[in-house]
Amino acid sequence: MFERLFKLKEHGTTVRTEVIAGVTTFLTMSYIIFVNPDILSTTGMDRNAIFVATCLAAALGSAVMALVANWPIGMAPGMGLNAFFAFTVVAALGFTWQQALGAVFISGIIFLLLTVTGVRSWLIAGIPHSLRSAIATGIGLFLGIIALKNAGIVVDNPATLVGLGDLKQTGPLLAILGFFVIAVLDALNVRGSILIGILVVTVLSMFLGVSEFQGIVSVPPSIAPTFLQLDIMGALHGGLVHVILVFVLVEVFDATGTLIGVAKRAKLVEEGKASRLGRALLADSSAIVAGSLMGTSSTTAYVESASGVQAGGRTGLTALTISVLFLAALFISPLAAAVPSYATAPALLYVAGLMMRELTEIEWDDLTEAAPAALTAIAMPFTYSIANGLAFGFVSYVVLKVCTGKWNVIHPATQLVAALFIVRLAFFAE
């Protein structure tokens, strides 16, 4: 059956290799089942329901990737957009989490249409490479400041906006320990280093009496508090238009970049040969829509899938294994509920650091490329908004290119996005 479904011999792999690859990828990305509920529950959403929605969205997305695209790529709610969802759309802009879910649903439909019509390729080709790298870097910085704040390492200071927290407190100390556990294990190539770091801090917090042990295994909690609770009509509110634009842009860049990067490593995308990238993006956009219906932020392909490819994964059987493991994770909800924010903060901070690697891809020798990229990355953490970073970047890119006589290199897609952000800044300011 597996041979017929996934063409294992054609890809030079076996069932055993694919299953091991799936377990490897799951271990490296399963931290999301603890981190995502911690972030999204700040909006007032039911934490247990988010846990279930996260597991189901990851399982469904990975299964669709397996059966539609036959690629060894795991999917789950994405880091960055979950923070944008919680801390910008709901906390800063004041929209309800139901409206935010509606915005995610609409962005998924738009992504689906862009993929089916081929407009996605035009959009990707038209956005400057430096800006794409800056977006990933900026999201990393955004996650970084959220992580440091959640850990109590960075605190509010009326005189300087931010300041150093009390590092003698239990929370910050455990978060610092967690970060070093993750970093050291990852440097030693230990699979699941982020997951291990979260669990180490959680267990220590229980021993110290600052977190309560609630058990490990139980029947999965109800998804009812978030299932089909999205407010699509409310998401069409004028103030949410730019939010939908941000969701679409980040989803398209993130998914395309991750899928191509991992697929190249697995030799699934080669020059002059037909690939299944279109099917993979179709799976990605479908998962976004399904995830919003369940009650979670945008679902996307995970770059951690590269670890499974490194372990030999070449087909959708790897992704199907990941899907089954996320379904099995539904039964550890008591453990997930006991994970404190200072256990997930080091994971956020470490992922933030990994995203900073994109800085090397920016063309620093060309100021008309470097300055907009720098503005994009800097504005995200300092305005606490991915949307503002994108607006600063696209608008400044167009202005600098026009003013230096390089207007002819500006792709229509960049002009369109910049114009949309100008309208947003002028008429729909936060």
Side-chain angles (χ1 to χ4, degrees):
M1 182 182 73
F2 290 137
E3 174 59 40
R4 191 179 77 253
L5 268 177
F6 303 112
K7 299 179 174 61
L8 301 178
K9 288 179 182 175
E10 183 183 316
H11 290 88
T13 185
T14 63
V15 171
R16 180 178 179 277
T17 300
E18 294 293 302
V19 170
I20 291 173
V23 172
T24 301
T25 298
F26 175 78
L27 288 174
T28 59
M29 65 181 284
S30 56
Y31 63 87
I32 194 63
I33 64 178
F34 301 116
V35 177
N36 203 47
D38 192 55
I39 290 175
L40 295 187
S41 62
T42 61
T43 65
M45 297 172 74
D46 183 87
R47 187 184 180 111
N48 286 328
I50 302 166
F51 168 77
V52 176
T54 301
C55 291
L56 289 179
L60 179 62
S62 299
V64 172
M65 182 65 71
L67 301 173
V68 173
N70 194 22
W71 274 14
I73 293 176
M75 297 185 66
M79 296 292 289
L81 283 181
N82 54 1
F84 178 66
F85 179 108
F87 302 115
T88 301
V89 181
V90 178
L93 297 181
F95 292 103
T96 65
W97 60 263
Q98 291 92 340
Q99 287 175 302
L101 282 177
V104 172
F105 175 83
I106 294 169
S107 72
I109 295 295
I110 293 172
F111 186 5
L112 193 62
L113 292 174
L114 291 176
T115 302
V116 171
T117 59
V119 175
R120 178 202 59 82
S121 303
W122 175 80
L123 186 62
I124 287 292
I127 305 303
H129 185 72
S130 289
L131 278 185
R132 273 187 269 167
S133 299
I135 291 167
T137 302
I139 291 174
L141 289 170
F142 183 48
L143 289 176
I145 195 168
I146 290 168
L148 293 170
K149 176 178 173 289
N150 288 352
I153 296 171
V154 167
V155 295
D156 175 52
N157 187 316
T160 59
L161 289 181
V162 292
L164 186 64
D166 184 357
L167 300 187
K168 297 189 291 292
Q169 295 295 316
T170 305
L173 284 173
L174 285 173
I176 292 168
L177 172 66
F179 177 81
F180 285 127
V181 168
I182 293 169
V184 169
L185 290 178
D186 201 27
L188 295 173
N189 295 317
V190 176
R191 302 294 184 198
S193 57
I194 295 177
L195 177 63
I196 294 170
I198 291 173
L199 294 176
V200 165
V201 173
T202 301
V203 171
L204 278 175
S205 69
M206 289 174 182
F207 277 119
L208 294 171
V210 290
S211 181
E212 185 182 346
F213 178 68
Q214 301 174 23
I216 297 176
V217 179
S218 77
V219 174
S222 172
I223 195 178
T226 60
F227 185 63
L228 297 181
Q229 296 300 309
L230 66 169
D231 181 2
I232 298 173
M233 295 310 296
L236 296 174
H237 181 282
L240 270 169
V241 171
H242 78 279
V243 168
I244 294 169
L245 174 63
V246 171
F247 276 134
V248 171
L249 288 175
V250 176
E251 285 161 1
V252 169
F253 299 150
D254 192 32
T256 305
T258 299
L259 288 170
I260 291 176
V262 176
K264 278 184 176 177
R265 192 173 299 192
K267 292 185 170 56
L268 297 171
V269 175
E270 295 182 36
E271 289 292 328
K273 290 186 178 180
S275 78
R276 290 174 168 259
L277 178 60
R279 288 192 176 199
L281 284 163
L282 200 62
D284 198 299
S285 51
S286 302
I288 294 169
V289 174
S292 67
L293 295 173
M294 293 176 195
T296 185
S297 53
S298 304
T299 303
T300 190
Y302 261 58
V303 72
E304 284 85 351
S305 302
S307 63
V309 168
Q310 189 70 29
R314 291 294 180 273
T315 74
L317 183 53
T318 294
L320 191 62
T321 303
I322 296 166
S323 175
V324 170
L325 290 172
F326 269 114
L327 287 177
L330 283 168
F331 296 92
I332 60 165
S333 60
L335 178 61
V339 175
S341 59
Y342 44 82
T344 56
L348 272 176
L349 188 59
Y350 193 68
V351 170
L354 295 178
M355 295 179 79
M356 297 289 289
R357 289 184 293 196
E358 289 290 330
L359 278 169
T360 59
E361 300 296 319
I362 297 170
E363 297 175 48
W364 294 107
D365 293 333
D366 184 349
L367 276 177
T368 62
E369 295 281 338
L375 278 174
T376 301
I378 291 170
M380 288 186 192
F382 289 125
T383 64
Y384 225 62
S385 169
I386 294 173
N388 289 336
L390 289 173
F392 281 33
F394 277 95
V395 173
S396 62
Y397 182 90
V398 171
V399 170
L400 285 174
K401 290 294 185 183
V402 169
C403 292
T404 55
K406 299 178 180 178
W407 57 269
N408 57 317
V409 303
I410 308 173
H411 192 279
T414 303
Q415 295 174 23
L416 175 63
V417 174
L420 289 172
F421 275 121
I422 289 173
V423 171
R424 175 247 163 174
L425 290 170
F427 301 104
F428 304 104
E430 294 172 12

